[in-house]
Amino acid sequence: MELCYYPGCTLKTTAKNFELPAIASIEKLGHKMVELPRWNCCGTVHSLAADDLMHQLAPIRTLIRVSETGADKVVTLCAMCYNTLKQANKIILEDNEKRDRINNFLDEEKDYSGNVSVLHLLEFLRDEVGFEEIKKRVKRPLDDLKLSPYYGCLLLRPEGIGIDDIEAPRIMEDLIEALGGEAVDSPFKSECCGSYHTVDDIDPVIERTKMIIDDSNARGADAIVVGCPLCFYNLDYRQKDAKERYKEFNSIPIFYFTQILAIALGLDESTCAFGEHFVDPRPMLLNKNLVLSGWK
Amino acid sequence: MLGSLEKRILSVLFKEKKTTARDIFRKLRAEGMTTTYVTVNTVLSRLYKRGLINRISEPYRGSFRYTYEYKDLKEGLISDLLGDVTLLFGEEGIDLLKKKLDTKKGKEQVKTKEKAKPLSDTETMRICLSRNNIQNSIIKKIEEISGQKVSACYQCGKCSAGCPMINLMDLLPNQIIRLVQLGQISEVLDSKTIWLCASCFTCSARCPKGVDLAKVLEALRLLLLRKSENYIEPSELDIDENMPQIALVSNLRKKTG
């Protein structure tokens, strides 16, 4: 099946290690991610103001581009893109007055009626491919690998937008188990990582990173698995600051879920672009016999 | 002669040199003193009228505010005191004073050890209610921007219980909404809380009354941002090249107008 794929800015630059293994894995599973030929910024945060339609235009324009290709769904990887696209689509579906105002304003575009469904790749893997099917395709089971899923906010909330149960999500756990790994539960898995404060106020981010990672370490996890480039940055790169502040801090590798999928499907580790990580996961993977020793 | 609160306020001003009534109030509260913002304000204007401190009026959020500045009073106050002592008791007074000063130094050291336990926020959270504030038209504006009915909140505290940023906040999320209900808008707009909220929607998901607090906080930020009162100065940001673009864009979307 051909999948209409909306990457967003970050996937094309600092989160190549998220995109490359996704494209390769989906191909391995017999589908194809086809990038939307023309797309623009999603706006990154959904505008919460009831009187602000201007900031809904960017995501809606992207959804119009999707419907122009004839596709009825679009797949995203970035949690922020997923959230803004889906929330903007919800406005179009549920508020006729706002839908008409937006369509009147975008007079050069075709009218949009909310017919594109916004999917996160995790949903596609669960609902369209199926975890049972993925399990059958695993070439290199993640035996003996304890992974702690970290969902963050925007994959789960607000209600009606999230990809799984809002308080007790299982989707990443199910994926990890399908790949042969062991899912380690964490009470912080759906709590905020500090998000965009990482730009101007790193203190709360360092504290949260430390708390989340200390907990995963205490539960014996080998790594944390995320689905958002901002969570990834805060949990991976901010470990440097956490280590500077707390001598006793123990680092832990952070994976995108697409990377563990690629490894389990037997893809070459070069597709995972592990060089982009602050905490290199390869020594740990090598220890578990999951990557070739040639990378050094 | 100075009253006890006057002395406490002057001692804060002596340390800070230049500050606002609100900050002095917060410092005193942190030191464990039970006082109200209004009292601090009154005492400050009294001190100003007596010529003991400076007051500067500066533009702030569409209107103006007062900042108070420390004036050097040491010389004057001490010679006043000494004058009284010598006038009344002569040489004997000076000797006594000297003895007292020596023992005082020792005592002071003991005293600092037994610091007063700071009162918790619930014990000192006092505000001045007025009909004008409660009928404040800004409440309507906030409800309009957020699309939320703030009066629906019945203060169960679920929002604060689940908030991941709570330990850094000066006002708890449920206090924010209570203050908005009561029209204490400047109190709320001055808080760090509205900027610490990163819209993770945990409170929104759990509110038993269906109040989307994330939207109320967005409305409060927008009250300032729409007047171009940026919370951060973009040119001063220190950007790490590994930082994802979504971090930068969302930060600027949330903290600048």
Side-chain angles (χ1 to χ4, degrees), chain A residues 10 13-14 43 45 50-51 153 157 167 196-197 200 204 208 233 237, chain B residues 145 164 195-198 200 206 226 232 240 242 245-246 250-251 253 255:
Chain A
T10 305
T13 49
T14 51
V45 282
D51 60 356
C153 318
R157 291 181 295 268
E167 296 286 354
Y196 53 78
H197 290 312
D200 69 304
R208 295 206 64 76
Y233 178 80
Y237 280 86
Chain B
I145 301 178
W195 301 106
L196 277 168
C197 165
C200 79
R206 293 179 185 171
R226 286 182 178 175
I232 53 160
D240 164 15
N242 293 307
Q245 286 90 329
I246 45 172
S250 51
N251 189 284
R253 283 280 316 273
K255 295 184 179 179

PDB file of all heavy atoms in Angstrom, chain A residues 10 13-14 43 45 50-51 153 157 167 196-197 200 204 208 233 237, chain B residues 145 164 195-198 200 206 226 232 240 242 245-246 250-251 253 255:
ATOM      1  N   THR A  10      11.356  18.926  11.230  1.00  0.00           N
ATOM      2  CA  THR A  10      12.396  18.306  12.056  1.00  0.00           C
ATOM      3  C   THR A  10      12.850  16.960  11.507  1.00  0.00           C
ATOM      4  O   THR A  10      14.025  16.598  11.600  1.00  0.00           O
ATOM      5  CB  THR A  10      11.869  18.166  13.501  1.00  0.00           C
ATOM      6  OG1 THR A  10      11.465  19.464  13.934  1.00  0.00           O
ATOM      7  CG2 THR A  10      12.918  17.640  14.425  1.00  0.00           C
ATOM      8  N   THR A  13      15.752  17.202   9.183  1.00  0.00           N
ATOM      9  CA  THR A  13      17.035  17.759   9.623  1.00  0.00           C
ATOM     10  C   THR A  13      17.575  17.030  10.848  1.00  0.00           C
ATOM     11  O   THR A  13      18.376  16.124  10.725  1.00  0.00           O
ATOM     12  CB  THR A  13      16.891  19.265   9.936  1.00  0.00           C
ATOM     13  OG1 THR A  13      15.752  19.434  10.778  1.00  0.00           O
ATOM     14  CG2 THR A  13      16.702  20.064   8.674  1.00  0.00           C
ATOM     15  N   THR A  14      17.100  17.402  12.043  1.00  0.00           N
ATOM     16  CA  THR A  14      17.703  16.835  13.252  1.00  0.00           C
ATOM     17  C   THR A  14      17.150  15.460  13.620  1.00  0.00           C
ATOM     18  O   THR A  14      17.690  14.813  14.505  1.00  0.00           O
ATOM     19  CB  THR A  14      17.515  17.784  14.459  1.00  0.00           C
ATOM     20  OG1 THR A  14      16.140  18.143  14.542  1.00  0.00           O
ATOM     21  CG2 THR A  14      18.356  19.032  14.317  1.00  0.00           C
ATOM     22  N   GLY A  43       2.857  24.334  12.124  1.00  0.00           N
ATOM     23  CA  GLY A  43       2.589  25.299  13.194  1.00  0.00           C
ATOM     24  C   GLY A  43       3.114  24.836  14.550  1.00  0.00           C
ATOM     25  O   GLY A  43       3.142  25.609  15.495  1.00  0.00           O
ATOM     26  N   VAL A  45       2.557  23.975  17.437  1.00  0.00           N
ATOM     27  CA  VAL A  45       1.616  23.872  18.562  1.00  0.00           C
ATOM     28  C   VAL A  45       0.236  24.270  18.079  1.00  0.00           C
ATOM     29  O   VAL A  45       0.077  25.246  17.362  1.00  0.00           O
ATOM     30  CB  VAL A  45       2.025  24.742  19.781  1.00  0.00           C
ATOM     31  CG1 VAL A  45       3.116  24.085  20.563  1.00  0.00           C
ATOM     32  CG2 VAL A  45       2.410  26.146  19.363  1.00  0.00           C
ATOM     33  N   ALA A  50      -9.917  30.240  21.069  1.00  0.00           N
ATOM     34  CA  ALA A  50     -11.134  30.019  20.288  1.00  0.00           C
ATOM     35  C   ALA A  50     -11.274  31.054  19.166  1.00  0.00           C
ATOM     36  O   ALA A  50     -11.912  30.781  18.152  1.00  0.00           O
ATOM     37  CB  ALA A  50     -12.345  30.075  21.211  1.00  0.00           C
ATOM     38  N   ASP A  51     -10.678  32.232  19.366  1.00  0.00           N
ATOM     39  CA  ASP A  51     -10.865  33.288  18.374  1.00  0.00           C
ATOM     40  C   ASP A  51      -9.717  33.345  17.357  1.00  0.00           C
ATOM     41  O   ASP A  51      -9.588  34.303  16.626  1.00  0.00           O
ATOM     42  CB  ASP A  51     -11.006  34.646  19.079  1.00  0.00           C
ATOM     43  CG  ASP A  51      -9.770  34.988  19.911  1.00  0.00           C
ATOM     44  OD1 ASP A  51      -8.866  34.143  19.997  1.00  0.00           O
ATOM     45  OD2 ASP A  51      -9.721  36.092  20.477  1.00  0.00           O
ATOM     46  N   CYS A 153       3.255  13.886  25.816  1.00  0.00           N
ATOM     47  CA  CYS A 153       1.888  14.428  25.858  1.00  0.00           C
ATOM     48  C   CYS A 153       1.123  14.253  24.565  1.00  0.00           C
ATOM     49  O   CYS A 153      -0.016  13.811  24.545  1.00  0.00           O
ATOM     50  CB  CYS A 153       1.929  15.922  26.125  1.00  0.00           C
ATOM     51  SG  CYS A 153       3.109  16.401  27.348  1.00  0.00           S
ATOM     52  N   ARG A 157      -2.797  13.108  24.261  1.00  0.00           N
ATOM     53  CA  ARG A 157      -3.785  14.104  24.665  1.00  0.00           C
ATOM     54  C   ARG A 157      -3.893  15.204  23.624  1.00  0.00           C
ATOM     55  O   ARG A 157      -2.958  15.403  22.849  1.00  0.00           O
ATOM     56  CB  ARG A 157      -3.391  14.702  26.030  1.00  0.00           C
ATOM     57  CG  ARG A 157      -3.509  13.712  27.164  1.00  0.00           C
ATOM     58  CD  ARG A 157      -3.139  14.341  28.483  1.00  0.00           C
ATOM     59  NE  ARG A 157      -1.735  14.734  28.529  1.00  0.00           N
ATOM     60  CZ  ARG A 157      -0.746  13.970  28.982  1.00  0.00           C
ATOM     61  NH1 ARG A 157      -0.994  12.788  29.456  1.00  0.00           N
ATOM     62  NH2 ARG A 157       0.490  14.402  28.984  1.00  0.00           N
ATOM     63  N   GLU A 167      -4.967   7.475  29.707  1.00  0.00           N
ATOM     64  CA  GLU A 167      -4.253   7.293  30.981  1.00  0.00           C
ATOM     65  C   GLU A 167      -3.388   6.027  31.007  1.00  0.00           C
ATOM     66  O   GLU A 167      -2.394   5.992  31.716  1.00  0.00           O
ATOM     67  CB  GLU A 167      -5.242   7.228  32.160  1.00  0.00           C
ATOM     68  CG  GLU A 167      -6.031   8.512  32.395  1.00  0.00           C
ATOM     69  CD  GLU A 167      -5.204   9.639  33.037  1.00  0.00           C
ATOM     70  OE1 GLU A 167      -4.041   9.413  33.420  1.00  0.00           O
ATOM     71  OE2 GLU A 167      -5.736  10.759  33.134  1.00  0.00           O
ATOM     72  N   TYR A 196       9.067  22.645  25.063  1.00  0.00           N
ATOM     73  CA  TYR A 196       9.809  23.752  24.434  1.00  0.00           C
ATOM     74  C   TYR A 196      10.553  24.627  25.439  1.00  0.00           C
ATOM     75  O   TYR A 196      11.281  25.524  25.030  1.00  0.00           O
ATOM     76  CB  TYR A 196       8.858  24.612  23.590  1.00  0.00           C
ATOM     77  CG  TYR A 196       7.646  25.090  24.339  1.00  0.00           C
ATOM     78  CD1 TYR A 196       7.720  26.162  25.227  1.00  0.00           C
ATOM     79  CD2 TYR A 196       6.416  24.461  24.189  1.00  0.00           C
ATOM     80  CE1 TYR A 196       6.612  26.591  25.930  1.00  0.00           C
ATOM     81  CE2 TYR A 196       5.303  24.882  24.888  1.00  0.00           C
ATOM     82  CZ  TYR A 196       5.405  25.952  25.759  1.00  0.00           C
ATOM     83  OH  TYR A 196       4.305  26.363  26.460  1.00  0.00           O
ATOM     84  N   HIS A 197      10.387  24.389  26.729  1.00  0.00           N
ATOM     85  CA  HIS A 197      11.170  25.164  27.698  1.00  0.00           C
ATOM     86  C   HIS A 197      12.661  24.932  27.482  1.00  0.00           C
ATOM     87  O   HIS A 197      13.483  25.721  27.933  1.00  0.00           O
ATOM     88  CB  HIS A 197      10.799  24.777  29.134  1.00  0.00           C
ATOM     89  CG  HIS A 197       9.423  25.227  29.521  1.00  0.00           C
ATOM     90  ND1 HIS A 197       8.977  26.502  29.283  1.00  0.00           N
ATOM     91  CD2 HIS A 197       8.398  24.580  30.120  1.00  0.00           C
ATOM     92  CE1 HIS A 197       7.727  26.617  29.721  1.00  0.00           C
ATOM     93  NE2 HIS A 197       7.347  25.462  30.216  1.00  0.00           N
ATOM     94  N   ASP A 200      14.655  28.156  26.269  1.00  0.00           N
ATOM     95  CA  ASP A 200      15.024  29.343  27.051  1.00  0.00           C
ATOM     96  C   ASP A 200      15.116  29.095  28.555  1.00  0.00           C
ATOM     97  O   ASP A 200      15.572  29.956  29.289  1.00  0.00           O
ATOM     98  CB  ASP A 200      14.012  30.477  26.805  1.00  0.00           C
ATOM     99  CG  ASP A 200      12.652  30.164  27.405  1.00  0.00           C
ATOM    100  OD1 ASP A 200      12.102  29.115  27.062  1.00  0.00           O
ATOM    101  OD2 ASP A 200      12.161  30.947  28.231  1.00  0.00           O
ATOM    102  N   PRO A 204      13.824  23.280  34.325  1.00  0.00           N
ATOM    103  CA  PRO A 204      12.761  22.280  34.489  1.00  0.00           C
ATOM    104  C   PRO A 204      12.977  21.064  33.599  1.00  0.00           C
ATOM    105  O   PRO A 204      12.628  19.941  33.989  1.00  0.00           O
ATOM    106  CB  PRO A 204      11.477  23.013  34.079  1.00  0.00           C
ATOM    107  CG  PRO A 204      11.881  24.311  33.517  1.00  0.00           C
ATOM    108  CD  PRO A 204      13.280  24.595  33.948  1.00  0.00           C
ATOM    109  N   ARG A 208      13.272  17.174  34.879  1.00  0.00           N
ATOM    110  CA  ARG A 208      12.332  16.156  34.416  1.00  0.00           C
ATOM    111  C   ARG A 208      13.073  15.012  33.724  1.00  0.00           C
ATOM    112  O   ARG A 208      12.765  13.840  33.917  1.00  0.00           O
ATOM    113  CB  ARG A 208      11.284  16.755  33.475  1.00  0.00           C
ATOM    114  CG  ARG A 208      10.382  17.756  34.187  1.00  0.00           C
ATOM    115  CD  ARG A 208       9.050  17.888  33.544  1.00  0.00           C
ATOM    116  NE  ARG A 208       8.288  16.660  33.594  1.00  0.00           N
ATOM    117  CZ  ARG A 208       7.680  16.202  34.676  1.00  0.00           C
ATOM    118  NH1 ARG A 208       7.730  16.850  35.809  1.00  0.00           N
ATOM    119  NH2 ARG A 208       7.009  15.078  34.618  1.00  0.00           N
ATOM    120  N   TYR A 233      15.027  14.849  22.002  1.00  0.00           N
ATOM    121  CA  TYR A 233      16.085  15.829  22.306  1.00  0.00           C
ATOM    122  C   TYR A 233      16.209  16.042  23.807  1.00  0.00           C
ATOM    123  O   TYR A 233      17.312  16.021  24.359  1.00  0.00           O
ATOM    124  CB  TYR A 233      15.788  17.158  21.604  1.00  0.00           C
ATOM    125  CG  TYR A 233      16.803  18.219  21.921  1.00  0.00           C
ATOM    126  CD1 TYR A 233      18.030  18.242  21.267  1.00  0.00           C
ATOM    127  CD2 TYR A 233      16.555  19.185  22.896  1.00  0.00           C
ATOM    128  CE1 TYR A 233      18.984  19.203  21.569  1.00  0.00           C
ATOM    129  CE2 TYR A 233      17.495  20.140  23.205  1.00  0.00           C
ATOM    130  CZ  TYR A 233      18.709  20.154  22.541  1.00  0.00           C
ATOM    131  OH  TYR A 233      19.645  21.087  22.847  1.00  0.00           O
ATOM    132  N   TYR A 237      19.776  14.543  24.525  1.00  0.00           N
ATOM    133  CA  TYR A 237      20.808  15.581  24.613  1.00  0.00           C
ATOM    134  C   TYR A 237      20.875  16.255  25.978  1.00  0.00           C
ATOM    135  O   TYR A 237      21.941  16.687  26.409  1.00  0.00           O
ATOM    136  CB  TYR A 237      20.620  16.622  23.498  1.00  0.00           C
ATOM    137  CG  TYR A 237      21.179  16.126  22.190  1.00  0.00           C
ATOM    138  CD1 TYR A 237      20.415  15.337  21.344  1.00  0.00           C
ATOM    139  CD2 TYR A 237      22.494  16.402  21.830  1.00  0.00           C
ATOM    140  CE1 TYR A 237      20.933  14.854  20.148  1.00  0.00           C
ATOM    141  CE2 TYR A 237      23.029  15.928  20.640  1.00  0.00           C
ATOM    142  CZ  TYR A 237      22.238  15.147  19.804  1.00  0.00           C
ATOM    143  OH  TYR A 237      22.778  14.671  18.643  1.00  0.00           O
TER     144      TYR A 237
ATOM    145  N   ILE B 145     -11.666  34.122  24.811  1.00  0.00           N
ATOM    146  CA  ILE B 145     -10.481  33.592  24.118  1.00  0.00           C
ATOM    147  C   ILE B 145     -10.356  32.090  24.351  1.00  0.00           C
ATOM    148  O   ILE B 145     -10.031  31.332  23.439  1.00  0.00           O
ATOM    149  CB  ILE B 145      -9.185  34.299  24.592  1.00  0.00           C
ATOM    150  CG1 ILE B 145      -9.270  35.802  24.325  1.00  0.00           C
ATOM    151  CG2 ILE B 145      -7.960  33.717  23.884  1.00  0.00           C
ATOM    152  CD1 ILE B 145      -8.061  36.578  24.805  1.00  0.00           C
ATOM    153  N   PRO B 164       2.681  18.269  35.900  1.00  0.00           N
ATOM    154  CA  PRO B 164       4.087  17.884  36.015  1.00  0.00           C
ATOM    155  C   PRO B 164       5.026  19.052  36.372  1.00  0.00           C
ATOM    156  O   PRO B 164       6.168  18.826  36.739  1.00  0.00           O
ATOM    157  CB  PRO B 164       4.420  17.325  34.625  1.00  0.00           C
ATOM    158  CG  PRO B 164       3.419  17.923  33.709  1.00  0.00           C
ATOM    159  CD  PRO B 164       2.181  18.167  34.520  1.00  0.00           C
ATOM    160  N   TRP B 195       3.513  30.824  32.421  1.00  0.00           N
ATOM    161  CA  TRP B 195       4.574  30.563  31.440  1.00  0.00           C
ATOM    162  C   TRP B 195       5.163  29.164  31.586  1.00  0.00           C
ATOM    163  O   TRP B 195       5.752  28.631  30.647  1.00  0.00           O
ATOM    164  CB  TRP B 195       5.678  31.613  31.557  1.00  0.00           C
ATOM    165  CG  TRP B 195       5.107  32.973  31.319  1.00  0.00           C
ATOM    166  CD1 TRP B 195       4.864  33.925  32.261  1.00  0.00           C
ATOM    167  CD2 TRP B 195       4.636  33.513  30.075  1.00  0.00           C
ATOM    168  NE1 TRP B 195       4.276  35.024  31.676  1.00  0.00           N
ATOM    169  CE2 TRP B 195       4.131  34.801  30.344  1.00  0.00           C
ATOM    170  CE3 TRP B 195       4.598  33.033  28.761  1.00  0.00           C
ATOM    171  CZ2 TRP B 195       3.588  35.617  29.345  1.00  0.00           C
ATOM    172  CZ3 TRP B 195       4.063  33.844  27.773  1.00  0.00           C
ATOM    173  CH2 TRP B 195       3.571  35.122  28.066  1.00  0.00           C
ATOM    174  N   LEU B 196       5.049  28.583  32.782  1.00  0.00           N
ATOM    175  CA  LEU B 196       5.579  27.230  32.978  1.00  0.00           C
ATOM    176  C   LEU B 196       4.683  26.180  32.333  1.00  0.00           C
ATOM    177  O   LEU B 196       5.147  25.115  31.942  1.00  0.00           O
ATOM    178  CB  LEU B 196       5.706  26.932  34.473  1.00  0.00           C
ATOM    179  CG  LEU B 196       6.980  27.452  35.124  1.00  0.00           C
ATOM    180  CD1 LEU B 196       6.860  27.371  36.631  1.00  0.00           C
ATOM    181  CD2 LEU B 196       8.189  26.658  34.649  1.00  0.00           C
ATOM    182  N   CYS B 197       3.402  26.468  32.235  1.00  0.00           N
ATOM    183  CA  CYS B 197       2.476  25.516  31.611  1.00  0.00           C
ATOM    184  C   CYS B 197       2.878  25.327  30.159  1.00  0.00           C
ATOM    185  O   CYS B 197       2.985  26.285  29.411  1.00  0.00           O
ATOM    186  CB  CYS B 197       1.049  26.043  31.689  1.00  0.00           C
ATOM    187  SG  CYS B 197      -0.056  25.153  30.566  1.00  0.00           S
ATOM    188  N   ALA B 198       3.143  24.059  29.779  1.00  0.00           N
ATOM    189  CA  ALA B 198       3.566  23.793  28.401  1.00  0.00           C
ATOM    190  C   ALA B 198       2.437  23.124  27.616  1.00  0.00           C
ATOM    191  O   ALA B 198       2.685  22.461  26.624  1.00  0.00           O
ATOM    192  CB  ALA B 198       4.818  22.924  28.398  1.00  0.00           C
ATOM    193  N   CYS B 200       0.410  20.470  28.264  1.00  0.00           N
ATOM    194  CA  CYS B 200       0.512  19.011  28.119  1.00  0.00           C
ATOM    195  C   CYS B 200      -0.862  18.364  28.198  1.00  0.00           C
ATOM    196  O   CYS B 200      -0.999  17.168  27.966  1.00  0.00           O
ATOM    197  CB  CYS B 200       1.460  18.417  29.158  1.00  0.00           C
ATOM    198  SG  CYS B 200       0.741  18.216  30.799  1.00  0.00           S
ATOM    199  N   ARG B 206      -8.286  15.512  32.832  1.00  0.00           N
ATOM    200  CA  ARG B 206      -8.765  14.959  34.104  1.00  0.00           C
ATOM    201  C   ARG B 206      -9.826  15.799  34.802  1.00  0.00           C
ATOM    202  O   ARG B 206     -10.383  15.366  35.811  1.00  0.00           O
ATOM    203  CB  ARG B 206      -7.575  14.767  35.052  1.00  0.00           C
ATOM    204  CG  ARG B 206      -6.631  13.700  34.543  1.00  0.00           C
ATOM    205  CD  ARG B 206      -5.440  13.498  35.451  1.00  0.00           C
ATOM    206  NE  ARG B 206      -4.515  12.547  34.844  1.00  0.00           N
ATOM    207  CZ  ARG B 206      -3.305  12.284  35.312  1.00  0.00           C
ATOM    208  NH1 ARG B 206      -2.877  12.906  36.385  1.00  0.00           N
ATOM    209  NH2 ARG B 206      -2.536  11.407  34.714  1.00  0.00           N
ATOM    210  N   ARG B 226      -0.662  39.441  23.118  1.00  0.00           N
ATOM    211  CA  ARG B 226      -1.341  40.232  22.083  1.00  0.00           C
ATOM    212  C   ARG B 226      -1.079  41.716  22.242  1.00  0.00           C
ATOM    213  O   ARG B 226      -1.413  42.506  21.367  1.00  0.00           O
ATOM    214  CB  ARG B 226      -2.847  39.937  22.105  1.00  0.00           C
ATOM    215  CG  ARG B 226      -3.149  38.573  21.507  1.00  0.00           C
ATOM    216  CD  ARG B 226      -4.618  38.261  21.455  1.00  0.00           C
ATOM    217  NE  ARG B 226      -4.823  36.959  20.829  1.00  0.00           N
ATOM    218  CZ  ARG B 226      -6.004  36.372  20.724  1.00  0.00           C
ATOM    219  NH1 ARG B 226      -7.090  36.968  21.193  1.00  0.00           N
ATOM    220  NH2 ARG B 226      -6.112  35.197  20.134  1.00  0.00           N
ATOM    221  N   ILE B 232       9.998  36.230  26.295  1.00  0.00           N
ATOM    222  CA  ILE B 232      11.436  36.045  26.080  1.00  0.00           C
ATOM    223  C   ILE B 232      11.905  36.986  24.974  1.00  0.00           C
ATOM    224  O   ILE B 232      11.092  37.465  24.186  1.00  0.00           O
ATOM    225  CB  ILE B 232      11.787  34.596  25.659  1.00  0.00           C
ATOM    226  CG1 ILE B 232      10.943  34.186  24.440  1.00  0.00           C
ATOM    227  CG2 ILE B 232      11.601  33.631  26.796  1.00  0.00           C
ATOM    228  CD1 ILE B 232      11.525  33.039  23.681  1.00  0.00           C
ATOM    229  N   ASP B 240      21.334  25.591  20.599  1.00  0.00           N
ATOM    230  CA  ASP B 240      22.196  24.448  20.366  1.00  0.00           C
ATOM    231  C   ASP B 240      21.839  23.887  18.981  1.00  0.00           C
ATOM    232  O   ASP B 240      20.659  23.751  18.655  1.00  0.00           O
ATOM    233  CB  ASP B 240      21.883  23.444  21.495  1.00  0.00           C
ATOM    234  CG  ASP B 240      22.388  22.051  21.206  1.00  0.00           C
ATOM    235  OD1 ASP B 240      23.211  21.904  20.292  1.00  0.00           O
ATOM    236  OD2 ASP B 240      21.932  21.111  21.900  1.00  0.00           O
ATOM    237  N   ASN B 242      21.858  21.047  17.728  1.00  0.00           N
ATOM    238  CA  ASN B 242      21.138  19.776  17.675  1.00  0.00           C
ATOM    239  C   ASN B 242      19.663  19.917  18.038  1.00  0.00           C
ATOM    240  O   ASN B 242      18.903  18.955  17.969  1.00  0.00           O
ATOM    241  CB  ASN B 242      21.767  18.775  18.651  1.00  0.00           C
ATOM    242  CG  ASN B 242      23.155  18.393  18.223  1.00  0.00           C
ATOM    243  OD1 ASN B 242      23.363  17.978  17.090  1.00  0.00           O
ATOM    244  ND2 ASN B 242      24.127  18.573  19.106  1.00  0.00           N
ATOM    245  N   GLN B 245      13.852  21.817  15.282  1.00  0.00           N
ATOM    246  CA  GLN B 245      13.128  23.049  14.936  1.00  0.00           C
ATOM    247  C   GLN B 245      11.815  23.174  15.688  1.00  0.00           C
ATOM    248  O   GLN B 245      11.402  24.272  16.038  1.00  0.00           O
ATOM    249  CB  GLN B 245      12.804  23.079  13.433  1.00  0.00           C
ATOM    250  CG  GLN B 245      13.974  23.360  12.545  1.00  0.00           C
ATOM    251  CD  GLN B 245      14.669  22.091  12.125  1.00  0.00           C
ATOM    252  OE1 GLN B 245      14.678  21.112  12.862  1.00  0.00           O
ATOM    253  NE2 GLN B 245      15.263  22.082  10.961  1.00  0.00           N
ATOM    254  N   ILE B 246      11.148  22.047  15.911  1.00  0.00           N
ATOM    255  CA  ILE B 246       9.854  22.112  16.601  1.00  0.00           C
ATOM    256  C   ILE B 246      10.007  22.746  17.983  1.00  0.00           C
ATOM    257  O   ILE B 246       9.082  23.387  18.469  1.00  0.00           O
ATOM    258  CB  ILE B 246       9.178  20.722  16.729  1.00  0.00           C
ATOM    259  CG1 ILE B 246      10.161  19.667  17.173  1.00  0.00           C
ATOM    260  CG2 ILE B 246       8.517  20.323  15.421  1.00  0.00           C
ATOM    261  CD1 ILE B 246       9.513  18.329  17.511  1.00  0.00           C
ATOM    262  N   SER B 250       7.883  26.143  18.543  1.00  0.00           N
ATOM    263  CA  SER B 250       6.847  26.108  19.572  1.00  0.00           C
ATOM    264  C   SER B 250       7.177  27.084  20.697  1.00  0.00           C
ATOM    265  O   SER B 250       6.292  27.744  21.235  1.00  0.00           O
ATOM    266  CB  SER B 250       6.649  24.688  20.117  1.00  0.00           C
ATOM    267  OG  SER B 250       7.872  24.134  20.498  1.00  0.00           O
ATOM    268  N   ASN B 251       8.458  27.206  21.028  1.00  0.00           N
ATOM    269  CA  ASN B 251       8.846  28.154  22.065  1.00  0.00           C
ATOM    270  C   ASN B 251       8.458  29.576  21.673  1.00  0.00           C
ATOM    271  O   ASN B 251       7.871  30.321  22.458  1.00  0.00           O
ATOM    272  CB  ASN B 251      10.356  28.053  22.310  1.00  0.00           C
ATOM    273  CG  ASN B 251      10.795  28.845  23.519  1.00  0.00           C
ATOM    274  OD1 ASN B 251      10.894  30.063  23.462  1.00  0.00           O
ATOM    275  ND2 ASN B 251      11.040  28.171  24.625  1.00  0.00           N
ATOM    276  N   ARG B 253       6.234  30.420  19.438  1.00  0.00           N
ATOM    277  CA  ARG B 253       4.773  30.524  19.334  1.00  0.00           C
ATOM    278  C   ARG B 253       4.148  30.768  20.705  1.00  0.00           C
ATOM    279  O   ARG B 253       3.166  31.483  20.844  1.00  0.00           O
ATOM    280  CB  ARG B 253       4.178  29.232  18.753  1.00  0.00           C
ATOM    281  CG  ARG B 253       4.307  29.035  17.260  1.00  0.00           C
ATOM    282  CD  ARG B 253       3.259  29.806  16.453  1.00  0.00           C
ATOM    283  NE  ARG B 253       1.909  29.723  16.982  1.00  0.00           N
ATOM    284  CZ  ARG B 253       1.027  28.769  16.705  1.00  0.00           C
ATOM    285  NH1 ARG B 253       1.340  27.812  15.876  1.00  0.00           N
ATOM    286  NH2 ARG B 253      -0.169  28.783  17.241  1.00  0.00           N
ATOM    287  N   LYS B 255       5.801  31.897  23.600  1.00  0.00           N
ATOM    288  CA  LYS B 255       6.361  32.913  24.496  1.00  0.00           C
ATOM    289  C   LYS B 255       6.561  34.289  23.859  1.00  0.00           C
ATOM    290  O   LYS B 255       7.046  35.204  24.510  1.00  0.00           O
ATOM    291  CB  LYS B 255       7.678  32.410  25.093  1.00  0.00           C
ATOM    292  CG  LYS B 255       7.479  31.200  25.989  1.00  0.00           C
ATOM    293  CD  LYS B 255       8.745  30.746  26.661  1.00  0.00           C
ATOM    294  CE  LYS B 255       8.469  29.546  27.548  1.00  0.00           C
ATOM    295  NZ  LYS B 255       9.663  29.055  28.217  1.00  0.00           N
TER     296      LYS B 255
END
